Amino acid sequence: MRFRHRRVAAAAALAATAVLGLPACSAVLGGEESLVDADSLVVGVKYDQPGLGLETEEGSGEYEGFDVDVALYIAGQLGIPRENVEFVGLNSAEREEKLDSGEVDMVVATYSITPARRNEVTFGGPYYVAKQDVLVRADATGIEGVRDLEDMTVCQSEGSNSVDRITEGLGVSVERREEDTYSDCIEELRAGDVDAVSTDNLILAGFFAQTPDAFRFVNNPFTDEKYGVGLPYGDIEACEAVNKAISRMYQEGDAAEMLDRWFGETDLEMVYSVPQFEGCD
C-alpha cells in the first residue's frame, strides 16, 4: 500500500476519534507515521522545465531532469527501489495543495524554502542553492542586471515569488506578468510580449540550453534560492533521513555528476559542495 494511502487512513482514524471523544494517540497504532516507513513513493516534480523536471512525452508519465535524479537518489537511500517511485507532474501553485492532500508524498520541484511555506511544509535540504537571474531575448540591449529591468514587463509562473524579490526585495519597479508555468513565460518572451523572465538560474539555464540562439542568459545572479525537498508537515524523521541522503549524494560525487549531466553545456557556474541545511524543527 502506498504511503499516502496510509496517511489518509491515519487522518480518517484521527477524525473518528474526535467524534467518539477518544484520545487521538489511540487512533494510530505505533505512533506517528513517517516516509521512512514507506515501501513506495509518489513524488511531485515539474513537468515543463528542461534540465530539472520534464515529461519526456506528453501523457507518458515519464520524467527526466536534475530534480528527478535527486528524488530517485533520495528514494534509493530510503530503501525504495526505482520501480516503486511514481512521478506526478505539477506546477508551482500546486505544490502545497498536492502534498497536503496526500496526492503526493514528496515534492522535488525547484521548491524554494521560505518562512511562509515552512508553516505548511516540512523541508529537507536544501539539495541545491540556486540564484535568481534574468533571461531576455538575444537581441535585447541595455539589460546587464536586474536593476536594468526598471519599468519593463517581467514574467513569472503562478505561485512563484520571483517578481516580489525584484519589486519588494530590491525596490525595482517592474510590471508583473503571471502565467501558469515558466514554459508559458518563455513563449511570451519569445513572442516579444514580455521583456524578461526572472527566476532561479537552474530553471533559466534549462530553457536557454534548448534554444541558445533565441535568448540571452544575463548571468548576473542575485538572491539565494534554497531548493528544498517538500515533506508532509511534521515528518521530522523523514527530514533527517533526507538530509543524510543529500549529504551522501554530494560527498560521493553523485550530485556533481547530476549537475554536469543536465547543465554542463551551459555557462552556469554551479556549486558542488554540500549545502548548509535549514534544520528539521
Side-chain angles (χ1 to χ4, degrees), residues 74-127:
I74 291 171
Q77 294 298 303
L78 293 176
I80 300 171
R82 185 187 186 101
E83 59 268 23
N84 287 357
V85 180
E86 176 188 342
F87 289 100
V88 172
L90 42 68
N91 62 34
S92 296
E94 296 174 317
R95 292 175 296 200
E96 286 92 356
E97 173 191 346
K98 289 186 180 293
L99 188 60
D100 183 59
S101 69
E103 186 173 343
V104 300
D105 303 314
M106 177 186 294
V107 173
V108 187
T110 62
Y111 203 2
S112 296
I113 302 171
T114 68
R117 288 171 177 165
R118 290 186 70 163
N119 290 327
E120 302 180 61
V121 176
T122 291
F123 283 103
Y127 61 91

Side-chain angles (χ1 to χ4, degrees), residues 3 9 42 87 147 213 216 221 230 257 266:
F3 177 83
V42 180
F87 289 100
R147 295 192 180 279
D213 294 336
R216 179 167 62 86
E257 290 180 9
T266 71

Side-chain angles (χ1 to χ4, degrees), residues 10-260:
L14 287 171
T17 63
V19 173
L20 296 173
L22 298 175
C25 60
S26 66
V28 184
L29 296 177
E32 294 182 5
E33 295 214 344
S34 169
L35 285 183
V36 299
D37 302 317
D39 51 21
S40 62
L41 284 178
V42 180
V43 183
V45 295
K46 293 294 181 67
Y47 58 84
D48 68 332
Q49 290 182 351
L52 286 160
L54 184 68
E55 191 171 21
T56 55
E57 183 179 345
E58 187 175 354
S60 68
E62 299 292 327
Y63 297 84
E64 64 178 16
F66 176 61
D67 283 355
V68 176
D69 288 351
V70 169
L72 288 171
Y73 184 91
I74 291 171
Q77 294 298 303
L78 293 176
I80 300 171
R82 185 187 186 101
E83 59 268 23
N84 287 357
V85 180
E86 176 188 342
F87 289 100
V88 172
L90 42 68
N91 62 34
S92 296
E94 296 174 317
R95 292 175 296 200
E96 286 92 356
E97 173 191 346
K98 289 186 180 293
L99 188 60
D100 183 59
S101 69
E103 186 173 343
V104 300
D105 303 314
M106 177 186 294
V107 173
V108 187
T110 62
Y111 203 2
S112 296
I113 302 171
T114 68
R117 288 171 177 165
R118 290 186 70 163
N119 290 327
E120 302 180 61
V121 176
T122 291
F123 283 103
Y127 61 91
Y128 191 78
V129 180
K131 292 182 179 293
Q132 188 166 335
D133 213 314
V134 178
L135 193 71
V136 297
R137 288 183 296 281
D139 58 0
T141 60
I143 303 175
E144 302 302 329
V146 64
R147 295 192 180 279
D148 296 326
L149 298 177
E150 185 83 33
D151 297 329
M152 294 186 180
T153 302
V154 180
C155 191
Q156 72 167 32
S157 168
E158 182 183 0
S160 171
N161 298 313
S162 296
V163 173
D164 287 340
R165 297 189 191 103
I166 297 173
T167 56
E168 299 174 15
L170 299 176
V172 178
S173 177
V174 301
E175 181 180 341
R176 180 195 308 261
R177 177 75 61 84
E178 192 164 86
E179 298 292 342
D180 289 341
T181 66
Y182 274 110
S183 58
D184 293 331
C185 282
I186 293 298
E187 291 308 311
E188 292 282 296
L189 180 62
R190 191 192 307 274
D193 294 330
V194 299
D195 299 300
V197 179
S198 182
T199 187
D200 311 340
N201 54 7
L202 283 189
I203 297 174
L204 297 178
F207 284 114
F208 174 74
Q210 284 194 320
T211 51
D213 294 336
F215 303 113
R216 179 167 62 86
F217 192 24
V218 172
N219 216 359
N220 189 356
F222 59 100
T223 79
D224 286 338
E225 301 305 320
K226 300 175 182 179
Y227 286 172
V229 177
L231 301 166
Y233 186 73
D235 195 343
I236 305 303
E237 189 177 1
C239 176
E240 293 171 346
V242 164
N243 287 352
K244 289 179 182 178
I246 293 170
S247 293
R248 186 170 185 177
M249 183 177 75
Y250 276 89
Q251 291 165 355
E252 297 193 352
D254 296 271
E257 290 180 9
M258 295 174 193
L259 288 164
D260 287 342

